[in-house]
Amino acid sequence: MTSSDIRFSVLGPLTVTRKGVELDLAPRLKTLLATLLVAQGKVVSVDRVIDALWNKDVPKTAVATMHSYVTNLRRAIEPDRPPRAVHGIVDRQGPGYVLRARPESVDAEWFVSLAERGARALDSDPAAAVEDLSAALSLWRGPAYLDLRDSEVVAAEIARLESARLEARQNHAFALIAAGAATSAVVELEALVREDSLAERAWELLALALYRTGRQSDALGALRTARDHLLEELGVDPGPALRAMESAILNQDSALDENVSPSDSRSVVTRPLPDSTPGIRVPTPLTRLIGRDDDVAAVGDLLGTHRLVTITGPGGAGKTRTAFEAARRYGSGEGPWAVLLADLTDLALLPSLVGAAMGAPFVRGAEELITIIGDREVLLVLDNCEHLVEGVAALAEMVLSRCPHLRLLATSREALAITGEVTWEIPPLDPEGPGVELFVERATALRPGWQPRHSERELMAEICRDLDGLPLAIELAAAQTRVLSLEQITDGLADRFGLLATTSRTAPARHRDLEAVIEWSVRLLTEDERELLGRLALFEGGFDLEAAQWLTDRSRILPNLSALISKSLVRSETEGTPRRYRILETIRQYAGRLLTGDEAGRWADRHLAWATELAETASRRLRSLDADTWMRRLQHEQANMRAALGHAMVTGDVDRALRLACALSWYWYRTGYAHEGISWLTRTLDAAGPDHQGRGQALLGRAMLRYLVGDAVGGNNDAVHASEAAERSGEIEILARSLPYRAYFQQLTGDSALAQELIQEAARLVPAVGLPWVEAEMMMIRGQITRATGNFPLAATQLIQAADISDLCGHDWASISAWWIAAKVSMDLGEAERAIRQAAHAVVQLDRSLDVTSWLAVVHVLGGALGMAGRAKEGAMLLGAVQAIGGRVGYSPEIMDPVDGRRNVAAVRSALPEDDFRRTLTAGQALSRDDVTAMARELVGDAQGDRGTRATLPGHR
């Protein structure tokens, strides 16, 4: 029996059918099966299988019992398997077990493939997209792994699949709208937002679908409901897309019409109102407000259309200054009057304080205040509401409901959260521009006549970045220039709370030093919120909801996280799905003190466990159809991965350190972090010792990275040692993967005979592994080695096979590499025009990929092909772009590929006078990646971006 007779279904309860008959599996066998399925063809160690089966309650007979479970699982799904058969569906391999299931036999993989295909067809063929996405969604029988949802074994996989399902459902609705079936889309989207009230894209599409069915008021109602849900559950305002859709519907924007595609409908934008004229009766500033013109204008616009506007943000962000300036410019009615609440502690005095600001100091309560305001057109600024937020909210709601022409502008680290409120979250200053401008202005006030040099401005920008662009922190740092150099201030930011204190005698106590600013906010938190903030401080560079759930009780995470966002201690990034959250570095350093001793270590271990699980899941997907999604996921988490690796090394958790470094090695390769990857892998290998079971995989990862930096000898040594380690441990996958690269390294270093011997051995072994992406890489390398023998037709055939296998399994890197080598074959044959088409095609295919190294390599070949074709100036421009962009990431195709790389440069250089070559090379250094891709599109006759066009490989018909 083959794996094609078996069907694994996880999109609902976990079921297995053999020849159409469902198997009856015991719960333990289902857990075992799920553990192997989630690994997606990777070996799962015995220890990890035992952890999955028993978690912390491991019996003494665990190993023997686990083996019996494996035997029972084999009998269930492979009843005809001969005794002692080496290969089957469930196999022992090296230190663990592997499940060899074809992707099409697992409903989850088939779903992802169909959903990806449908997503690619959204703009070009909506009807085809509807068909593919309908087929994909029909595979779901309920929540993924329904009968195992409480098991940590499948937690990450469930999150991945449910996220993909949400995206597919939204894409299906998008396709229906584009195909003219907006009524059907409304039905689907209404069901979707009932299930997931925080899915902003679904709300946006629902509004568009309702509008296109003639239900404008319902469309606006849907957007209001979305806003209410986001405010109630997360404490945030809708993102830019929802706000833009609301404005477009109100204005009946033509971009929403039936004859406009949904993708174009998403480009609608709101139009700002004219600036208001200045007002009076708020404190006059003693210094210039820097970097807040856009915020002041935006708040003024909001005041023109809303009666309660609250400026939110962390302490020291400039809320008060921005509010006062916006109020001064607001030219309608009486006021503005400023009500300064920072020192108020008795809520009973609040109406009196408001009355006093208006010139009526003897107001005895809210009723008298309402009588005084009456029908007058008044603007009040309520400054620093956060410590009295409930009392201020109650008073604001009362007076606004009974004084129809009153407008309130509030500043608070937390929104008032009452009906009719609109919030404006004030962002940090741009460190490069307004941040440096503020630093210079405050510093020169202490050192008149000082004109900072360029190098000093760069140091100032670094200081402003480290301080998160917080104006108060920047001002406190600038004040230290009286006694410290910029270098000393930069170094001192490691202890920023000791460094940054003010000498102003009139500054409020909460603004006397940076620590007091943060302490003021943290003191207002509940115990649960404070505890969560301390744990979230372990995340560097941000986190999403799934990551945060690893560090707390899942049932408590949402309300407490929402509170931290509302209180401006955590920022919600409104772009992208899922939403990401970030703690400003200054707040994060303070919050890190909230965890002490064993508690800090325990939660740092959980952070490490999350990072390892995420990286290993991503590693399995980086050679599949959704590779770009996972590349971007790892890009978001780079700072977290570094922190987790550092923690593992410091605490001596060598196993997890090596697992994490191995899982990241392919990401490092494709994004150009070669030197960083080599460093981490070397450190973890040294710590692990020569007998560690993960040594082979780590050595292979380092071999690839060494090749990337031009160290073919070192790469070969690592590949040889990886093979030896794999042979000792029985890891057939590592052995099969290492052999082709050993062959490639031998060919690079001049031993063609050994290269041929090794690639033949790889060709025999690789099919036994059963992983198409490994076969694709082997065939691509085989094509290169055949090319080196001069047999160009055979090389072309092998490269065609490599590209076809790669395209089927979604391994875009191997496909691009096949095109890269094919272009070099064309150059070997003197067919420069064909080489141009092939290389340009590969550049276009990588348009939106995060793969930097492959992109640079194929652009380098494209430059050489242009030189060979008599278009040397264009070639020199591209070589200049490669030189500049590669220099920024520390990668050079010419060093990695010394023979062909030099040929590319020579083909261009020899066709131009030396002065012209250098001048054009320098001009090319100004090109961006988008500029180069635009050139490539023109070269393949693809200026409109039709990614379906394929250039031909040599011999490809």
Side-chain angles (χ1 to χ4, degrees):
M1 180 176 293
T2 66
S3 62
S4 61
D5 298 320
I6 300 291
R7 292 289 182 269
F8 300 96
S9 302
V10 302
L11 303 180
L14 174 57
T15 61
V16 184
T17 57
R18 187 180 69 245
K19 295 183 177 180
V21 178
E22 184 175 334
L23 305 182
D24 184 15
L25 297 181
R28 291 278 193 198
L29 293 190
K30 283 194 174 186
T31 301
L32 170 60
L33 177 60
T35 305
L36 298 175
L37 277 170
V38 166
Q40 294 171 334
K42 304 282 285 185
V43 175
V44 182
S45 69
V46 168
D47 288 343
R48 292 186 70 188
V49 172
I50 289 172
D51 285 345
L53 289 171
W54 289 284
N55 200 359
K56 296 178 181 179
D57 302 320
V58 180
K60 293 181 179 179
T61 60
V63 174
T65 307
M66 182 269 299
H67 286 313
S68 72
Y69 287 154
V70 172
T71 300
N72 291 339
L73 182 61
R74 280 177 178 157
R75 287 173 180 164
I77 66 177
E78 302 177 84
D80 303 325
R81 178 172 176 164
R84 301 185 182 279
V86 177
H87 297 304
I89 298 175
V90 178
D91 286 346
R92 179 65 189 257
Q93 183 175 314
Y97 290 92
V98 63
L99 179 74
R100 305 189 193 284
R102 292 183 175 277
E104 62 270 20
S105 69
V106 182
D107 63 351
E109 296 305 305
W110 189 232
F111 160 74
V112 169
S113 177
L114 286 170
E116 288 281 339
R117 193 167 72 187
R120 288 194 294 270
L122 282 175
D123 290 328
S124 59
D125 191 348
V130 170
E131 183 178 346
D132 283 338
L133 290 161
S134 296
L137 292 167
S138 70
L139 296 171
W140 287 77
R141 300 166 292 114
Y145 289 98
L146 177 61
D147 43 352
L148 294 170
R149 290 185 76 81
D150 294 332
S151 170
E152 288 193 6
V153 171
V154 293
E157 183 69 356
I158 288 172
R160 177 182 80 87
L161 291 172
E162 294 292 353
S163 176
R165 184 188 192 185
L166 173 61
E167 183 69 16
R169 292 178 70 183
Q170 292 175 146
N171 284 341
H172 186 253
F174 182 102
L176 286 172
I177 297 170
T183 301
S184 298
V186 168
V187 176
E188 286 197 12
L189 290 163
E190 285 179 336
L192 179 52
V193 297
R194 280 195 299 271
E195 296 171 28
D196 189 347
S197 60
L198 302 180
E200 290 189 61
R201 185 179 175 220
W203 284 109
E204 179 191 352
L205 290 170
L206 175 57
L208 176 61
L210 287 166
Y211 183 87
R212 287 198 176 179
T213 57
R215 298 164 60 184
Q216 180 177 349
S217 61
D218 289 339
L220 292 170
L223 293 172
R224 284 193 295 272
T225 303
R227 180 190 299 275
D228 291 343
H229 280 298
L230 290 166
L231 282 171
E232 180 180 344
E233 298 181 45
L234 289 180
V236 298
D237 284 320
L242 283 181
R243 296 199 301 269
M245 181 62 72
E246 182 178 35
S247 175
I249 291 172
L250 286 168
N251 294 319
Q252 298 186 349
D253 197 308
S254 60
L256 303 180
D257 291 346
E258 192 75 43
N259 59 349
V260 179
S261 76
S263 57
D264 293 332
S265 299
R266 299 183 69 182
S267 66
V268 293
V269 295
T270 54
R271 297 172 177 83
L273 297 171
D275 285 342
S276 301
T277 55
I280 56 172
R281 294 193 180 103
V282 294
T284 301
L286 302 179
T287 55
R288 186 167 65 98
L289 180 62
I290 294 172
R292 293 300 184 201
D293 289 345
D294 290 345
D295 298 286
V296 169
V299 171
D301 291 348
L302 292 173
L303 279 173
T305 53
H306 298 81
R307 294 176 56 219
L308 172 58
V309 179
T310 303
I311 301 177
T312 63
K319 299 183 293 294
T320 297
R321 288 291 307 275
T322 301
F324 287 170
E325 186 61 30
R328 266 193 294 273
R329 296 186 189 183
Y330 186 77
S332 180
E334 300 178 50
W337 286 290
V339 184
L340 308 180
L341 302 177
D343 297 325
L344 181 66
T345 57
D346 185 353
L347 271 175
L349 300 176
L350 181 57
S352 298
L353 194 63
V354 176
M358 298 176 62
F362 302 110
V363 170
R364 288 174 293 182
E367 289 297 333
E368 285 193 20
L369 180 62
I370 289 167
T371 300
I372 290 171
I373 297 172
D375 289 336
R376 296 157 63 189
E377 191 173 346
V378 171
L379 173 60
L380 292 174
V381 181
L382 306 178
D383 186 41
N384 286 298
C385 302
E386 57 270 356
H387 60 303
L388 304 168
V389 66
E390 292 186 7
V392 173
L395 180 65
E397 188 168 48
M398 182 184 297
V399 294
L400 284 168
S401 65
R402 295 171 60 185
C403 302
H405 302 298
L406 170 67
R407 275 179 162 72
L408 297 179
L409 174 57
T411 72
S412 177
R413 301 183 193 188
E414 177 179 5
L416 302 187
I418 62 175
T419 302
E421 179 187 34
V422 61
T423 60
W424 179 261
E425 184 176 0
I426 195 162
L429 293 178
D430 176 9
E432 309 288 340
V436 170
E437 185 182 354
L438 176 62
F439 191 104
V440 170
E441 182 157 310
R442 300 299 185 261
T444 52
L446 301 170
R447 299 172 58 191
W450 180 36
Q451 296 182 342
R453 300 184 302 274
H454 177 72
S455 59
E456 290 176 318
R457 284 181 171 270
E458 287 185 334
L459 277 174
M460 291 176 189
E462 182 180 343
I463 291 169
C464 294
R465 277 193 299 272
D466 284 349
L467 294 173
D468 307 303
L470 284 175
L472 176 63
I474 293 170
E475 291 179 330
L476 293 173
Q480 298 301 324
T481 57
R482 185 172 4 207
V483 292
L484 298 174
S485 68
L486 293 173
E487 290 81 0
Q488 288 175 305
I489 294 172
T490 302
D491 294 340
L493 290 180
D495 179 24
R496 62 191 64 199
F497 299 115
L499 176 72
L500 302 182
T502 184
T503 55
S504 171
R505 294 184 176 89
T506 59
R510 66 188 187 284
H511 282 181
R512 292 270 171 89
D513 59 58
L514 195 58
E515 186 169 15
V517 173
I518 310 302
E519 186 179 7
W520 169 268
S521 295
V522 172
R523 195 168 60 239
L524 300 175
L525 300 178
T526 66
E527 184 177 345
D528 283 350
E529 292 164 0
R530 196 158 39 245
E531 183 179 276
L532 178 60
L533 182 64
R535 296 178 192 175
L536 295 179
L538 292 166
F539 289 106
E540 296 191 17
F543 55 93
D544 59 21
L545 187 61
E546 180 189 338
Q549 287 173 338
W550 279 72
L551 300 188
T552 191
D553 181 347
R554 286 172 179 260
S555 64
R556 294 163 53 201
I557 180 65
L558 202 55
N560 289 327
L561 177 59
S562 299
L564 293 175
I565 293 169
S566 298
K567 295 173 182 179
S568 302
L569 289 164
V570 175
R571 292 179 63 84
S572 173
E573 309 289 347
T574 57
E575 299 291 343
T577 301
R579 278 203 178 184
R580 287 187 63 77
Y581 311 96
R582 187 168 72 90
I583 305 176
L584 297 181
E585 182 60 23
T586 298
I587 297 173
R588 198 181 74 81
Q589 285 197 18
Y590 182 94
R593 304 173 178 180
L594 301 175
L595 295 179
T596 57
D598 293 342
E599 186 183 34
R602 179 163 62 93
W603 292 110
D605 287 343
R606 285 290 291 169
H607 178 269
L608 171 60
W610 160 77
T612 305
E613 178 72 24
L614 174 63
E616 289 182 334
T617 300
S619 177
R620 293 191 292 270
R621 307 303 303 178
L622 289 182
R623 294 176 175 90
S624 70
L625 288 166
D626 54 352
D628 281 348
T629 299
W630 287 95
M631 291 265 282
R632 284 177 169 76
R633 184 80 182 272
L634 288 179
Q635 182 188 42
H636 284 311
E637 306 298 357
Q638 271 302 283
N640 278 314
M641 296 298 160
R642 292 180 183 120
L645 279 165
H647 173 72
M649 293 301 291
V650 167
T651 57
D653 193 344
V654 176
D655 287 341
R656 273 216 177 99
L658 195 64
R659 282 172 56 192
L660 183 52
C662 287
L664 291 171
S665 61
W666 189 235
Y667 170 80
W668 287 328
Y669 180 95
R670 296 196 66 182
T671 53
Y673 291 100
H675 294 288
E676 178 180 355
I678 290 169
S679 174
W680 280 118
L681 284 164
T682 300
R683 290 174 61 189
T684 53
L685 280 165
D686 289 347
D691 300 321
H692 195 283
Q693 67 181 27
R695 187 169 182 80
Q697 185 176 349
L699 285 166
L700 185 56
R702 190 173 68 177
M704 298 292 291
L705 293 170
R706 282 182 161 169
Y707 159 66
L708 207 61
V709 299
D711 183 8
V713 174
N716 182 62
N717 290 338
D718 277 347
V720 169
H721 293 317
S723 291
E724 293 169 351
E727 286 175 345
R728 287 194 301 271
S729 64
E731 293 177 281
I732 187 174
E733 180 187 324
I734 300 300
L735 183 60
R737 288 174 55 198
S738 62
L739 282 171
Y741 289 101
R742 286 178 59 191
Y744 185 54
F745 290 137
Q746 291 299 331
Q747 186 256 314
L748 278 179
T749 52
D751 194 338
S752 299
L754 182 54
Q756 286 287 346
E757 181 183 330
L758 289 167
I759 200 65
Q760 293 299 333
E761 185 180 350
R764 289 190 295 272
L765 181 61
V766 164
V769 176
L771 294 174
W773 66 265
V774 178
E775 186 176 356
E777 290 186 12
M778 183 276 294
M779 192 57 70
M780 175 267 295
I781 293 171
R782 194 175 191 181
Q784 167 60 22
I785 290 173
T786 302
R787 173 198 167 216
T789 68
N791 190 344
F792 301 130
L794 179 57
T797 299
Q798 291 166 342
L799 293 170
I800 292 167
Q801 291 176 329
D804 288 343
I805 296 168
S806 304
D807 291 342
L808 283 172
C809 68
H811 189 13
D812 63 333
W813 177 84
S815 178
I816 293 297
S817 297
W819 286 99
W820 173 61
I821 298 169
K824 297 195 282 188
V825 172
S826 295
M827 292 175 71
D828 296 336
L829 294 168
E831 298 179 2
E833 291 298 333
R834 183 193 291 273
I836 289 171
R837 290 195 302 274
Q838 291 162 337
H841 169 82
V843 172
V844 172
Q845 288 295 95
L846 287 167
D847 179 14
R848 297 184 182 181
S849 172
L850 293 180
D851 188 329
V852 177
T853 54
S854 299
W855 185 86
L856 289 166
V858 293
V859 173
H860 202 265
V861 169
L862 179 56
L866 286 166
M868 181 180 284
R871 302 166 70 175
K873 284 199 171 181
E874 292 171 84
M877 290 285 286
L878 293 183
L879 294 182
V882 170
Q883 193 177 84
I885 297 170
R888 290 195 286 273
V889 299
Y891 166 69
S892 167
E894 194 174 349
I895 291 174
M896 179 200 74
D897 189 17
V899 176
D900 293 321
R902 292 188 189 118
R903 179 177 73 172
N904 295 334
V905 176
V908 175
R909 192 171 209 149
S910 62
L912 290 172
E914 186 63 21
D915 287 347
D916 283 359
F917 172 75
R918 292 189 177 279
R919 185 165 50 252
T920 312
L921 191 75
T922 301
Q925 291 173 357
L927 293 178
S928 68
R929 183 166 175 173
D930 286 344
D931 295 332
V932 172
T933 300
M935 290 178 64
R937 287 191 189 283
E938 292 180 7
L939 291 169
V940 292
D942 195 19
Q944 284 73 43
D946 179 6
R947 298 171 69 95
T949 302
R950 280 179 63 95
T952 57
L953 293 163
H956 199 280
R957 297 289 183 264

